[in-house]
Amino acid sequence: MSFQPNNPDLKSFIDVSKDSDFPIQNLPYGIFSTPNQDARVGVRIGDFVLDLAGLSDAELLKDLDFDHSVFYESVLNPFIELGQQNWRATREKTSQLLQKGSPLEDKKDEFLFPVADVTMHLPVRVGDYTDFYSSIEHATNLGKLFRPNGEPLMPNWKHIPVGYHGRASSIVVSGTEIHRPKGQILPKDADKPIFSPCKTLDFELEMAFIVGKSTNLGESVSIKEAENHIFGMVVFNDWSARDIQKWEYVPLGPFLGKSFASSISPWVVTLDALEPFRVESPKQEPEVLDYLKYEGKHNFDINLEVDFIPQNGEATTISRSSFKYLYWNMAQQLTHHTVNGCNINVGDMCASGTISGKDENSYGSLIEITQGGQKNINLKGGEIRKFIQDNDTIVMRGFCQNENVRIGFGEVSGKVLPAK
Ligand code: CA
């Protein structure tokens, strides 16, 4: 599908550098506040945030035929609930207003705030969070580490987009500091667990989609309809306490090793903005069941990077991966999620699972990069790590790039503080 705001020839009166994630063709949504204004809906362009509530006050959004109170909310949920048609109308309107020669150009200082002057907030109220496990490379790597004597992939893996229900309450916005979790750990060669701060704290490089259209209990979403239930995407760091996870995960899966925190990037990039970056998915063999069969391109070519920053140190990029490697796409994930009649709600978040590529430079977690802590990571400035130490910071970025345009997500950053 082609959308007018995606036109690569559009130019804004705001100067946007070529390597910015936020040209006029992107226009992601977020929640921001300023020292003088409560949290409200904004759209990112270059190094500025466009204030939609302010535009509405000034009657510059009169063409948008819905109740503008949604722009004064401290979460995007009420806006998202207005439906795809209205998100599209809003993106089109903001695109027009940001173009050269628009009525906004002369009054831009009233409605555009430098990003450095605003505080970003969690963009949605997350009702439920589901974490998938959709990278075949990651599932294989982890299978080898957790079950060295068995088949790395479980027999169900190529038939089901495997996932589990995560914890929504601990999803935080980029910049939020994370305390090292504590829990039960089984020391090597011991037969009893100890209670301790996590010793093998890890990140997981993921992306998440935000549900844009609710369903009723008992309903299923068909694969054809699935993407119409998705509002947009963010970069997602699913922090993981490997030692806690290893002891607790049998037989019911991840629990406290995961639920202490997940961090997201603050700007929600719409699927419409990602449209030029659709790509084929990896071939699925064996053939999947009919309800999971799809036509067309449902993966997106999103470059992903992870930086490791020790305290007072410089950043070392330790992984470069891509969303396009995922074996199971978002449409399949959402279809599978609802096939049993489970209802979904606007604002729900579904993460992809760690996104690893084939070679070591593209692994999406430390447990893979260090082979379970056997290998060192050499950081710039001489520091060495196997896992995350106190006061280390992890930064993840995502962006799409073609010859015409770059559509990015910005970053999700999180610093690890000592256990409380
Ligand atoms: Ca995960």
Side-chain angles (χ1 to χ4, degrees):
M1 231 187 274
S2 79
F3 301 104
Q4 176 270 332
N6 291 359
N7 181 349
D9 297 330
L10 295 180
K11 293 261 186 313
S12 176
F13 55 81
I14 297 288
D15 279 328
V16 180
S17 76
K18 256 190 109 71
D19 57 358
S20 169
D21 283 347
F22 306 106
I24 192 169
Q25 289 80 7
N26 190 348
L27 306 179
Y29 296 101
I31 297 291
F32 76 102
S33 61
T34 69
N36 305 317
Q37 284 169 320
D38 291 340
R40 47 181 56 204
V41 175
V43 163
R44 176 81 182 253
I45 174 126
D47 293 330
F48 292 87
V49 179
L50 180 64
D51 175 7
L52 295 194
L55 289 178
S56 175
D57 278 343
E59 309 222 313
L60 285 162
L61 298 178
K62 275 193 291 193
D63 313 352
L64 296 178
D65 188 19
F66 52 79
D67 178 359
H68 291 186
S69 63
V70 295
F71 296 135
Y72 300 82
E73 298 277 351
S74 59
V75 284
L76 290 172
N77 302 55
F79 171 64
I80 300 173
E81 273 163 15
L82 294 172
Q84 192 179 51
Q85 196 188 335
N86 288 318
W87 326 328
R88 285 186 173 159
T90 305
R91 185 160 171 265
E92 209 154 298
K93 185 66 194 168
T94 49
S95 169
Q96 287 161 6
L97 284 172
L98 287 165
Q99 286 169 38
K100 280 187 177 160
S102 98
L104 192 61
E105 189 163 359
D106 295 336
K107 317 177 208 168
K108 59 174 186 259
D109 295 343
E110 289 172 52
F111 306 106
L112 284 148
F113 298 95
V115 278
D117 298 346
V118 309
T119 303
M120 295 305 299
H121 303 268
L122 198 66
V124 286
R125 184 176 50 248
V126 187
D128 277 298
Y129 153 50
T130 302
D131 193 18
F132 284 94
Y133 194 52
S134 290
S135 156
I136 195 166
E137 290 83 5
H138 173 71
T140 304
N141 289 339
L142 237 62
K144 283 179 189 163
L145 288 165
F146 275 57
R147 295 178 300 277
N149 302 319
E151 277 294 315
L153 284 185
M154 288 294 186
N156 61 4
W157 200 90
K158 287 185 170 178
H159 297 280
I160 287 178
V162 170
Y164 71 98
H165 291 110
R167 185 77 195 165
S169 66
S170 54
I171 294 179
V172 295
V173 74
S174 176
T176 307
E177 293 174 326
I178 307 300
H179 283 276
R180 178 175 298 274
K182 297 170 287 189
Q184 287 199 23
I185 296 166
L186 185 69
K188 201 169 185 285
D189 303 323
D191 55 6
K192 279 194 304 230
I194 57 166
F195 180 74
S196 164
C198 166
K199 294 171 184 174
T200 51
L201 185 60
D202 201 349
F203 60 79
E204 291 193 328
L205 171 61
E206 307 195 17
M207 297 209 61
F209 69 79
I210 291 165
V211 169
K213 186 178 175 187
S214 305
T215 61
N216 294 317
L217 191 64
E219 279 176 16
S220 302
V221 178
S222 72
I223 195 115
K224 273 209 170 100
E225 271 296 307
E227 283 181 358
N228 292 328
H229 287 260
I230 299 176
F231 174 67
M233 296 174 70
V234 293
V235 186
F236 193 97
N237 180 356
D238 194 21
W239 302 95
S240 297
R242 296 301 179 194
D243 39 12
I244 297 172
Q245 179 186 3
K246 190 172 179 180
W247 170 237
E248 76 178 358
Y249 89 104
V250 183
L252 284 187
F255 186 30
L256 305 185
K258 300 284 186 175
S259 61
F260 59 95
S262 305
S263 303
I264 67 167
S265 54
W267 294 104
V268 186
V269 177
T270 60
L271 280 202
D272 290 354
L274 294 168
E275 191 65 28
F277 298 94
R278 284 186 181 274
V279 287
E280 301 276 351
S281 303
K283 190 172 163 47
Q284 295 185 321
E285 193 71 61
E287 202 174 322
V288 297
L289 289 174
D290 282 348
Y291 77 96
L292 291 168
K293 283 184 187 153
Y294 61 90
E295 285 170 12
K297 298 174 177 173
H298 294 281
N299 269 32
F300 293 87
D301 188 2
I302 306 169
N303 301 291
L304 298 168
E305 295 176 351
V306 183
D307 280 2
F308 199 116
I309 313 173
Q311 190 169 29
N312 304 321
E314 57 180 314
T316 306
T317 302
I318 59 168
S319 179
R320 288 191 171 83
S321 185
S322 173
F323 187 74
K324 72 178 176 189
Y325 298 146
L326 285 183
Y327 190 85
W328 296 102
N329 60 52
M330 294 185 286
Q332 290 180 311
Q333 290 167 353
L334 194 134
T335 299
H336 183 68
H337 204 314
T338 60
V339 76
N340 65 345
C342 169
N343 51 334
I344 51 172
N345 289 303
V346 161
D348 288 354
M349 214 169 262
C350 290
S352 57
T354 308
I355 305 166
S356 294
K358 284 194 169 42
D359 65 85
E360 290 176 38
N361 303 324
S362 61
Y363 291 168
S365 65
L366 292 172
I367 194 170
E368 291 167 89
I369 297 171
T370 67
Q371 289 294 300
Q374 295 172 55
K375 283 170 62 179
N376 287 329
I377 297 176
N378 297 304
L379 301 175
K380 286 181 193 166
E383 299 246 11
I384 291 171
R385 291 288 187 281
K386 288 187 164 82
F387 289 97
I388 300 169
Q389 293 184 6
D390 290 345
N391 302 307
D392 288 343
T393 298
I394 301 295
V395 177
M396 296 175 179
R397 290 180 294 272
F399 62 95
C400 309
Q401 177 89 60
N402 63 22
E403 61 278 15
N404 296 315
V405 71
R406 175 181 171 116
I407 301 292
F409 292 78
E411 63 177 41
V412 50
S413 168
K415 181 176 180 178
V416 173
L417 299 180
K420 254 188 178 169

